[in-house]
Amino acid sequence: MPEKPASLVLENAEIILPFRNFSGVEKKYNLPGDRNFAVHVDPDIADQLIADGWTVRMTNPRDEDETPRPYIQVRVSCRHRPPLIVMITSSGRTNLTEDTVGILDWADIKMVDMINNGSHWENNGKTGIKGYLKSMYGTIEEDVLERKYAIPEEDEGI
């Protein structure tokens, strides 16, 4: 068995909008209950990840002016030890649970800082490393009304 891969820390990362499924909804390429999302990685980091065995994919450009960008798929598993997922807004921090993390499927996520634990996989003679979310802090891009009506943490429940 290969040694456990090092954790991957990504700061100021961008989650790819069409490739997020925090709620685990069944989709064309997603079994029910499988929670996951995709995040862009810097090309220099992508090269090292590929060398280490991580599965790195490239986005498909939507027009000729767009350059393909590397990304990794991150799984969100609550089976053994749920990840720490914190949503940050103008009213404070909210720890999300398995029951509430689905809200991120529709949130305007400005950027995230995260730690992913690597896990070796093997299937039909192919091998690699996939990422499992350990912790994530996601800053939400709020519109003018969300900021206007935000309730500070200390006032919640009043």
Side-chain angles (χ1 to χ4, degrees):
M1 181 82 153
E3 72 178 55
K4 183 175 173 21
S7 294
L8 172 63
V9 178
L10 297 174
E11 295 180 289
N12 297 314
E14 177 188 350
I15 291 180
I16 304 172
L17 183 59
F19 300 123
R20 60 176 147 165
N21 190 351
F22 286 94
S23 55
V25 174
E26 181 176 14
K27 295 182 178 181
K28 184 176 181 180
Y29 299 107
N30 198 78
L31 295 173
D34 285 352
R35 300 168 189 263
N36 54 72
F37 62 94
V39 63
H40 286 294
V41 292
D42 182 87
D44 294 333
I45 294 173
D47 291 339
Q48 184 58 52
L49 291 174
I50 291 168
D52 291 345
W54 287 72
T55 304
V56 178
R57 296 185 174 100
M58 298 296 284
T59 58
N60 293 322
R62 291 175 279 209
D63 58 50
E64 67 251 5
D65 296 332
E66 189 174 26
T67 304
R69 294 176 63 192
Y71 71 92
I72 62 168
Q73 187 90 17
V74 180
R75 287 163 178 71
V76 181
S77 176
C78 298
R79 287 189 191 122
H80 303 291
R81 180 179 177 195
L84 170 66
I85 302 174
V86 181
M87 182 175 68
I88 301 170
T89 64
S90 59
S91 56
R93 299 176 179 199
T94 304
N95 287 15
L96 301 177
T97 66
E98 184 176 5
D99 296 328
T100 61
V101 72
I103 194 170
L104 295 179
D105 287 342
W106 306 107
D108 292 325
I109 303 171
K110 187 178 354 183
M111 72 90 191
V112 296
D113 293 333
M114 70 177 75
I115 300 174
N116 298 301
N117 288 329
S119 176
H120 288 281
W121 61 266
E122 183 177 343
N123 189 9
N124 294 327
K126 294 182 181 181
T127 62
I129 298 172
K130 59 184 167 184
Y132 283 87
L133 186 64
K134 178 181 180 190
S135 61
M136 181 177 92
Y137 292 80
T139 303
I140 305 303
E141 180 71 44
E142 297 172 288
D143 64 34
V144 65
L145 292 179
E146 288 171 315
R147 285 189 301 274
K148 179 180 178 179
Y149 292 102
I151 301 171
E153 268 184 4
E154 62 272 5
D155 293 343
E156 286 183 8
I158 293 176

